[in-house]
Amino acid sequence: MVAMTDSIDIPVPDIFDFDRNLVFLNRNEDECMHEVIERSLIKPIEVGSMRSLVKISAPHDTALRLTILAGSMPESKDDQELLITYIKNLFDLNTDLQPFYKMAKQDPLLKDLVEEYDGLRIVQIPDLFEALCWGVFGQQINLRFAYQLKRQFVEKYGESLVYQGKTYWFFPHYEKIASLSVEELSEIKMTRRKSEYMIGIAQLMTSGELSKDKLLQLGDPAIIEKDLVTIRGIGPWTANYLLMRCLGFTSAFPIDDVG
DNA sequence: TGCCAGGAAGCCG
DNA sequence: CGGCTTCATGGC
């Protein structure tokens, strides 16, 4: 029997600093997929049959606490596990950072960096379609505009809920984008080419040819990257970005780029 | 005003 | 493979 509770606690690893990760999540005011309020993350999350506005906080530093602000708690055991998996992925809780920290603390260049950002994880975009879209949005335009594109996209094709008079948006489903024409999608001031990329990607996901599970089953990040690059609209940069920000290959992050 | 931004595809040799 | 052109829109 599943006990009906108001909140779910998820234990966090030793090397984890919730506030530092919140700072990262709060880095851009144009972000439309979540907000940070008073040491908590407010985020609409859709997993399985659950679609709710979730508050994530850390009342004590050994666990994250999930509270449902609007919608409902996951009703089935499956949905509850999907939610927990999503949050674990979001904060990259499954990665063991001990080996990296041990190595970094012996490196004169990395030492200061690791201490300054101790407990900061590579925050993920757990949803593959969302990560892919964000990669495409950001290609060859300034970030400010990329955030604008995402917002217009989300508010035009996504669904929403209202909480305390404020509207929160879920990321659009790929099935919906797959059915759009280039002309329709281009209305939000994306280039035709970006529209083509996104519709093509949405179609691949709708047909089931492309999925996060399938990519992860390939195992080796180099092989995954090769697979991703065959998709029109995904080049080396976006493929690498996906490995790092969605597929959890945080060890592959470019140390050259640390600055 | 002009350069350029979290690139990638297409074409040519 | 390596280099060059095109795409197209805001930001600063």
Side-chain angles (χ1 to χ4, degrees):
Chain A
M1 184 155 89
V2 180
M4 293 305 292
T5 49
D6 293 337
S7 66
I8 300 174
D9 278 8
I10 301 176
V12 298
D14 287 341
I15 304 176
F16 180 79
D17 187 321
F18 183 63
D19 291 334
R20 287 215 167 101
N21 288 285
L22 273 193
V23 168
F24 176 79
L25 283 161
N26 202 26
R27 70 195 180 282
N28 199 307
E29 298 199 356
D30 297 324
E31 177 60 62
C32 64
M33 295 308 295
H34 62 250
E35 64 179 19
V36 173
I37 296 177
E38 293 173 0
R39 297 195 60 201
S40 68
L41 179 70
I42 312 294
K43 185 171 177 61
I45 297 177
E46 182 171 16
V47 287
S49 60
M50 186 206 86
R51 194 159 72 176
S52 304
L53 184 64
V54 182
K55 175 183 173 182
I56 303 145
S57 57
H60 40 86
D61 57 8
T62 58
L64 298 179
R65 175 158 296 171
L66 312 187
T67 315
I68 306 298
L69 299 180
S72 59
M73 290 294 278
E75 290 173 12
S76 69
K77 196 76 185 171
D78 283 350
D79 283 354
Q80 182 170 326
E81 280 181 15
L82 284 172
L83 175 61
I84 291 172
T85 298
Y86 184 95
I87 300 296
K88 282 185 173 176
N89 286 338
L90 176 63
F91 287 100
D92 193 35
L93 299 184
N94 295 321
T95 299
D96 178 15
L97 286 177
Q98 293 283 6
F100 173 74
Y101 271 60
K102 200 170 177 181
M103 180 274 288
K105 281 177 179 169
Q106 290 168 355
D107 182 296
L109 290 176
L110 290 179
K111 190 166 173 283
D112 294 342
L113 208 62
V114 164
E115 283 171 8
E116 186 175 354
Y117 295 104
D118 185 36
L120 174 65
R121 302 232 152 200
I122 300 191
V123 175
Q124 301 283 293
I125 304 169
D127 181 78
L128 177 64
F129 184 56
E130 184 179 339
L132 283 162
C133 289
W134 183 230
V136 172
F137 285 138
Q139 288 170 6
Q140 190 56 15
I141 57 173
N142 59 73
L143 267 184
R144 176 86 69 175
F145 183 42
Y147 277 106
Q148 281 183 38
L149 282 181
K150 181 165 78 163
R151 181 182 294 277
Q152 291 179 70
F153 177 75
V154 166
E155 295 186 358
K156 183 161 185 180
Y157 298 109
E159 295 184 29
S160 63
L161 58 74
V162 176
Y163 173 70
Q164 292 185 347
K166 203 164 178 178
T167 304
Y168 294 85
W169 295 88
F170 296 96
F171 202 78
H173 293 176
Y174 47 75
E175 294 94 334
K176 184 163 190 172
I177 305 310
S179 68
L180 297 176
S181 67
V182 174
E183 288 69 26
E184 287 175 290
L185 193 47
S186 303
E187 285 174 14
I188 59 171
K189 288 173 182 172
M190 287 204 304
T191 61
R192 290 184 59 87
R193 202 168 278 180
K194 277 194 204 308
S195 300
E196 290 169 14
Y197 294 165
M198 290 187 47
I199 291 168
I201 287 166
Q203 287 172 347
L204 282 175
M205 293 196 69
T206 301
S207 73
E209 286 178 69
L210 174 63
S211 72
K212 190 172 179 180
D213 282 346
K214 276 197 170 181
L215 289 174
L216 287 173
Q217 276 169 18
L218 295 175
D220 180 1
I223 294 174
I224 296 174
E225 182 163 359
K226 275 187 183 175
D227 194 54
L228 282 170
V229 167
T230 64
I231 299 168
R232 186 159 180 269
I234 302 180
W237 185 90
T238 308
N240 201 47
Y241 180 83
L242 285 168
L243 283 172
M244 190 174 78
R245 293 296 311 281
C246 178
L247 301 173
F249 288 94
T250 52
S251 59
F253 87 74
I255 294 187
D256 307 340
D257 249 11
V258 156

